[in-house]
């Protein structure tokens, strides 16, 4: 098992602390919610009994019956036709939303919006018509079509109708039907032109609880219906008037506690009583809290948020709505107001089909007793101490292993940097075992590099001794002869030895410059097949004495590196092949793709390599040339190895039938991959 996995498993033990604490808190929250639901249900039964007494003989409205819902007004509105003192008139205010119908005419579409409200003994109606200008009643031509509002009152199957037909913007009164209809001053209001239409604000005697009321807006071209099951096209069919009951709301206020809310709903969901009390907060001011208390507050808020995350999804409840579907509310269950606060809700049906809805805020359910918190803290402390001991022992064991590895590494190298020996083998299969094996491999490589430096100095000394000896002997012989031919021979030998020394220094400088340039070479993604194919074509044109051919694809071989350096690598391999290939001999440049790698090889016909030099031939000052080529420094293949290693590859030499093949393997890349 790897060290990372061991540390991960050890770290997972720490998760037992928050997991155990969270499970305890969630269980406690569930228990508190169940207890709160039972207590709230009992309270709802008591409140329902008192609410039924307050309702008395009032009759519930059957589900599906037509209803006109009217809000309660806190004060008498000013009858000016503008309606800016009505709830919901401004879109940014809360209250009853505008109810609207649409009437189509031959030339345009008009929309009728309206609101209803009650205040004491009066019903107030605000009607807005948008999309058309009013055509007023002309007393001189009463048969001319005009805009009007028709009001309907049905009480004990006796229907009464009134008309609102203004002659101009301003104060209005209702007119009784008939050619000589008299004015009904009990119904008054104001007709006002507004943007894109007109608006009427009416005050009407409040219908009796058993009566029905409706209205209709008509204008020239509108095919409106007066009454009927479907109701008027632009208005509302006669229906029961429903509003909140202040006496019942006052009674509910005495029966609920802070943080609770109560609603009494008609069978169809219309709210006839609503009462809420905000939670009493005795929390101190933030400035008076100590840092520890602030931390406790933050922790408690975070715990509340976490508990809410694991609680069942609450049902959305619009506590300001005028109609609430009781069947869509859970009982008991969680609900959420539009402000985001969660509440526990229960329902209690009344005998007449009405429903009492009672809710309570859940903000205080996590205010646990001191003994419970003390138990949680004690369990957490014990668990933390146990885990600390486990982790301390594990950390001590890791420290002992690392110290042992450090001592073993220090014992392999002396103060002068000489490698004294190798590291003992490591048996562990984790990262520390891998590190020990890497150190052992590094020590072995350092030992090999030290041997290479020592052999390099010997090879360089051997290479320099011969030309230096030739120069010295030529100068000595030159001083002892006076024969012109002999002097010329000695001078030529000295010049050749000097050229040899120059070649040695130039080869060493070339390899050194190449190693320095590799550190600054920028890599890019390019097509190696295209580069090799074009370069081989140039070789064919420049060297007619050999048959140089290319075998491989001409594109789609992406490689990440430096094309200039790889061309230099190919130059060295081809130059080396020409030196060992007879005239009109075959030199093959081949490129192959093999398992995510690119194999670039150069084969030349000629003699084979000695078996003992197939790997050492890429070292400096190693050459197998004879005859005219003897004395070659062998730096070319060293440059090939350096370029191949710079591209993350390797180079090898193998004997094949009829010649030698030098192969360079580099990683292939995707064409999308950049440098």
């Amino acid at each position: 098992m790897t060290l990372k996995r061991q540390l991960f498993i050890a770290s997972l033990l720490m998760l037992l602390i928050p997991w155990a604490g969270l499970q305890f808190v969630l269980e406690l929250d569930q228990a508190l919610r169940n207890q709160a639901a039972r207590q709230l249900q009992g309270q709802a039964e008591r409140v329902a009994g008192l609410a039924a007494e307050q309702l008395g003989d009032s009759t519930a409205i059957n589900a599906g019956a037509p209803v006109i819902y009217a809000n309660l007004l806190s004060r008498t509105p000013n009858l000016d036709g503008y309606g800016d003192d009505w709830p919901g008139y401004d879109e940014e205010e809360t209250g009853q939303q505008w109810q609207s119908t649409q009437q189509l005419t031959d030339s345009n579409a008009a929309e009728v919006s309206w609101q209803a409200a009650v205040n004491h003994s009066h019903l107030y109606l605000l009607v807005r018509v948008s999309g058309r200008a009013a055509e007023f009643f002309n007393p001189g031509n009463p048969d001319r079509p005009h805009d009007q509002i028709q009001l309907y009152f049905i009480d004990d199957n006796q229907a009464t109708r009134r008309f609102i037909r203004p002659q101009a913007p301003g104060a209005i009164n209702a007119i009784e039907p008939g050619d000589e209809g008299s004015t009904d001053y009990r119904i008054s209001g104001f007709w006002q032109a507004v943007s894109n239409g007109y608006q009427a604000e009416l005050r009407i005697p409040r219908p009796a609880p058993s009566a029905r009321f409706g209205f209709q807006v008509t204008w020239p071209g509108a095919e409106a219906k007066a009454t009927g099951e479907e109701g008027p096209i632009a208005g509302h069919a006669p229906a029961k008037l429903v509003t909140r009951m202040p006496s019942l709301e006052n009674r509910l206020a005495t029966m609920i506690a802070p943080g609770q809310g109560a609603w009494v709903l008609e069978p169809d969901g219309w709210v006839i009583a609503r009462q809420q009390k905000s939670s009493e907060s005795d929390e101190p001011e933030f400035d008076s809290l100590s840092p520890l208390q602030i931390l406790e507050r933050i922790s408690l808020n975070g715990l509340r948020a976490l508990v809410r995350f694991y609680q069942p999804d609450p049902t959305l409840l619009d506590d300001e709505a005028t109609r609430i579907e009781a069947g869509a509310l859970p009982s008991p269950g969680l609900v959420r107001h539009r402000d985001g606060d969660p509440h526990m809700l229960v329902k209690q049906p009344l005998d007449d089909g009405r429903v009492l809805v009672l809710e309570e805020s859940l903000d205080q359910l996590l205010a646990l007793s001191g003994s419970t918190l003390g138990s949680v803290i004690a369990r957490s402390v014990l668990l933390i101490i146990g885990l600390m001991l486990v982790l301390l022992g594990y950390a001590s064991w890791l420290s002992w292993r690392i110290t042992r590895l450090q001592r073993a590494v220090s014992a392999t190298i002396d103060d002068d940097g000489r490698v004294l020996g190798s590291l003992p083998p490591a048996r562990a299969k984790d990262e520390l075992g891998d590190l020990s094996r890497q150190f052992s491999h590094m020590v072995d490589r350092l030992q090999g590099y030290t041997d290479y430096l020592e052999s390099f100095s010997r090879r360089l000394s051997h290479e320099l001794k011969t030309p230096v000896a030739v120069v010295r002997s030529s100068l000595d012989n030159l001083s002892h002869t006076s024969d012109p031919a002999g002097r010329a021979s000695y001078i030529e030998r000295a010049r050749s030895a000097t050229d040899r020394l120059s070649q040695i220094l130039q080869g060493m400088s070339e390899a050194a410059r190449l190693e320095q340039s590799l550190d600054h070479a920028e890599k890019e993604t390019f097509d190696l097949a295209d580069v090799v194919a074009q370069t081989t074509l140039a070789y064919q044109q420049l060297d007619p004495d050999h048959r140089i051919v290319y075998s491989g694809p001409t594109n789609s071989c992406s490689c990440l590196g430096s094309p200039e350096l790889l061309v230099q690598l190919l130059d060295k391999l081809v130059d080396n092949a020409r030196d060992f290939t007879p005239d009109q001999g075959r030199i093959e440049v081949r490129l192959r793709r093999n398992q995510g790698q690119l194999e670039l090889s150069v084969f030349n016909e000629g003699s084979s390599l000695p078996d003992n030099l197939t790997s050492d031939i890429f070292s400096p000052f190693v050459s197998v040339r004879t005859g005219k080529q003897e004395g070659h420094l062998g730096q070319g293949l060293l440059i090939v190895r350096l370029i191949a290693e710079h591209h993350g590859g390797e180079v090898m030499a193998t004997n094949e039938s009829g010649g030698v093949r030098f192969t360079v393997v580099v990683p292939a890349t995707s064409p999308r991959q950049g440098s």
Side-chain angles (χ1 to χ4, degrees):
M1 184 181 295
T2 64
L3 184 61
K4 181 185 297 184
R5 188 171 299 175
Q6 295 173 14
L7 290 174
F8 177 73
I9 294 176
S11 301
L12 287 180
L13 297 177
M14 298 297 294
L15 297 179
L16 293 176
I17 300 175
W19 179 83
L22 178 61
Q23 295 302 314
F24 175 78
V25 172
L26 292 178
E27 292 178 3
L28 182 61
D29 173 72
Q30 181 66 39
L32 291 176
R33 283 192 285 112
N34 293 338
Q35 181 181 4
R38 290 192 296 269
Q39 294 177 350
L40 198 61
Q41 190 66 55
Q43 182 183 0
E45 295 175 0
R46 296 189 298 271
V47 174
L50 297 176
E53 295 179 2
Q54 184 66 35
L55 289 171
D57 297 333
S58 63
T59 304
I61 299 177
N62 296 329
V67 167
I68 293 180
Y69 190 87
N71 275 329
L72 283 178
L73 293 177
S74 58
R75 58 185 178 87
T76 302
N78 182 24
L79 295 180
D80 54 4
Y82 286 110
D84 51 358
D85 51 354
W86 280 68
Y89 184 85
D90 191 346
E91 294 181 357
E92 296 181 358
E93 296 182 2
T94 59
Q96 179 187 2
Q97 297 295 323
W98 287 84
Q99 303 184 51
S100 64
T101 57
Q102 192 175 49
Q103 168 67 50
L104 299 178
T105 66
D106 295 338
S107 59
N108 60 0
E111 183 179 5
V112 177
S113 305
W114 59 273
Q115 285 197 59
V118 296
N119 182 269
H120 301 297
S121 60
H122 289 92
L123 168 65
Y124 293 88
L125 186 65
L126 181 63
V127 180
R128 178 196 295 170
V129 178
S130 303
R132 62 170 280 105
E135 297 185 24
F136 295 103
F137 174 72
N138 186 0
N141 186 9
D143 295 332
R144 178 186 174 185
H146 56 275
D147 289 48
Q148 66 177 355
I149 301 176
Q150 301 181 25
L151 305 178
Y152 306 95
F153 303 90
I154 301 177
D155 191 4
D156 295 334
N157 295 325
Q158 181 178 358
T160 303
R161 188 167 55 168
R162 295 290 183 268
F163 294 92
I164 305 294
R165 50 185 187 186
Q167 302 178 23
I172 53 177
N173 291 102
I175 304 297
E176 296 180 1
D179 296 336
E180 300 295 336
S182 59
T183 302
D184 188 350
Y185 291 99
R186 297 179 305 163
I187 302 176
S188 61
F190 206 93
W191 189 289
Q192 188 67 260
V194 295
S195 175
N196 195 30
Y198 56 87
Q199 196 163 268
E201 189 175 14
L202 304 176
R203 182 176 63 188
I204 307 168
R206 183 172 179 175
S210 60
R212 291 186 294 163
F213 166 75
F215 68 95
Q216 177 186 5
V217 182
T218 61
W219 54 83
E223 299 177 357
K225 302 177 183 178
T227 58
E229 295 296 330
E230 298 180 0
I233 293 181
H236 200 290
K240 285 290 188 71
L241 184 67
V242 177
T243 187
R244 287 158 44 199
M245 304 173 61
S247 59
L248 180 57
E249 290 183 340
N250 294 336
R251 189 63 183 272
L252 290 177
T254 63
M255 295 183 290
I256 61 175
Q260 292 183 340
W263 293 264
V264 178
L265 309 178
E266 290 286 349
D268 222 9
W270 297 104
V271 178
I272 61 174
R274 178 176 63 229
Q275 193 63 257
Q276 289 178 287
K277 288 186 179 180
S278 59
S279 301
E280 295 180 352
S281 177
D282 55 353
E283 295 183 357
E285 296 292 335
F286 181 80
D287 295 338
S288 62
L289 297 177
S290 64
L292 182 59
Q293 291 175 329
I294 294 176
L295 184 60
E296 292 177 353
R297 297 279 180 181
I298 296 175
S299 302
L300 184 58
N301 291 336
L303 184 60
R304 286 176 176 171
L306 191 59
V307 170
R308 290 182 184 178
F309 177 78
Y310 283 98
Q311 284 177 347
D313 294 334
T315 303
L316 180 62
L317 173 63
D318 187 359
D319 54 334
E320 297 293 334
T322 58
R323 188 176 185 181
I324 300 175
E325 295 291 341
L329 299 177
S331 180
L334 297 179
V335 294
R336 176 176 55 86
H337 290 181
R338 292 192 178 275
D339 58 5
D341 293 336
H343 291 73
M344 172 64 68
L345 179 141
V346 296
K347 296 183 295 186
Q348 180 64 34
L350 304 182
D351 295 337
D352 55 359
R354 295 185 173 103
V355 178
L356 171 71
V357 178
L358 187 64
E359 69 170 12
E360 183 177 10
S361 174
L362 295 183
D363 284 342
Q364 304 301 321
L365 283 184
L366 284 179
L368 310 178
S369 63
S371 59
T372 305
L373 284 178
S375 176
V376 173
I377 294 174
R379 296 176 186 177
S380 300
V381 169
L382 291 176
L383 189 57
I384 290 174
I385 292 176
L387 292 178
M388 287 179 59
L389 293 176
V390 172
L391 293 179
L392 181 61
Y394 185 73
S396 300
W397 179 61
L398 289 180
S399 177
W400 173 77
R401 292 181 60 191
I402 294 174
T403 302
R404 186 179 63 175
L405 176 61
Q406 178 185 1
R407 293 174 180 174
V409 173
S410 300
T412 58
I413 302 176
D414 61 7
D415 296 335
D416 296 330
R418 295 181 177 273
V419 179
L420 302 178
S422 60
L423 291 176
R427 299 180 180 178
K429 297 182 180 181
D430 53 16
E431 279 80 358
L432 283 179
D434 293 339
L435 181 61
S436 178
R437 286 184 285 272
Q438 289 294 330
F439 272 125
S440 178
H441 182 60
M442 181 187 67
V443 170
D444 294 337
R445 293 185 63 184
L446 286 176
Q447 182 65 45
Y449 188 70
T450 302
D451 296 337
Y452 164 76
L453 292 178
E454 293 177 355
S455 63
F456 177 80
S457 62
R458 290 195 300 268
R459 292 176 182 176
L460 181 60
S461 175
H462 174 74
E463 292 291 332
L464 293 177
K465 283 181 179 179
T466 301
V468 169
V470 171
V471 171
R472 182 179 298 170
S473 62
S474 297
L475 293 177
D476 291 340
N477 294 330
L478 184 63
S479 62
H480 293 88
T481 183
S482 58
D483 181 35
R487 294 175 63 87
S489 175
Y490 293 136
I491 293 174
E492 181 62 27
R493 290 183 59 192
R495 182 179 294 109
S496 299
T498 305
D499 292 339
R500 171 64 175 166
L501 289 174
S502 178
Q503 291 177 7
I504 293 175
L505 296 177
Q506 182 178 358
M508 294 176 60
S509 299
E510 182 180 2
R513 286 194 302 270
L514 177 63
E515 291 187 60
Q516 293 177 359
S517 64
L518 292 178
D519 297 334
H520 304 285
E522 295 183 359
K523 294 183 178 181
E524 62 180 283
T525 301
F526 64 96
D527 194 343
L528 182 60
D530 180 65
V531 172
V532 174
Q534 296 295 329
T535 306
T536 305
L537 181 61
Y539 295 153
Q540 295 171 351
Q541 298 174 354
L542 295 176
D543 188 1
D545 297 332
H546 298 94
R547 292 182 292 111
I548 302 177
V549 296
Y550 170 69
S551 173
T554 58
N555 52 37
S556 302
C557 291
S558 296
C559 176
L560 179 63
S562 172
E564 293 80 11
L565 291 177
L566 287 177
V567 169
Q568 183 179 359
L569 176 147
L570 189 58
D571 289 341
K572 296 296 183 183
L573 291 178
V574 173
D575 288 340
N576 182 77
R578 282 200 293 256
D579 291 341
F580 293 91
T581 305
D583 291 343
Q584 299 305 316
R586 180 172 175 271
I587 299 176
E588 179 192 36
V589 179
R590 189 179 71 182
L591 181 63
R592 294 286 185 271
R593 180 185 291 272
N594 184 16
Q595 297 181 354
Q597 293 181 329
L598 298 176
E599 295 181 359
L600 174 62
S601 63
V602 176
F603 171 82
N604 66 277
E605 296 179 348
S607 58
S608 301
L609 290 173
D611 294 337
N612 61 337
L613 289 181
T614 55
S615 59
D616 294 340
I617 197 171
F618 299 100
S619 300
F621 304 114
V622 176
S623 177
V624 295
R625 289 171 173 82
T626 59
K628 295 181 181 180
Q629 299 174 347
E630 187 176 3
H632 193 277
L633 296 178
Q635 298 289 88
L637 295 181
L638 171 64
I639 293 175
V640 170
R641 178 173 64 84
L642 294 177
I643 295 177
E645 291 176 352
H646 173 70
H647 287 79
E650 58 181 352
V651 61
M652 62 194 74
T654 56
N655 290 319
E656 293 186 4
S657 176
V660 179
R661 182 177 297 276
F662 290 84
T663 304
V664 177
V665 180
V666 295
T669 59
S670 172
R672 300 180 180 178
Q673 194 171 354
S675 58

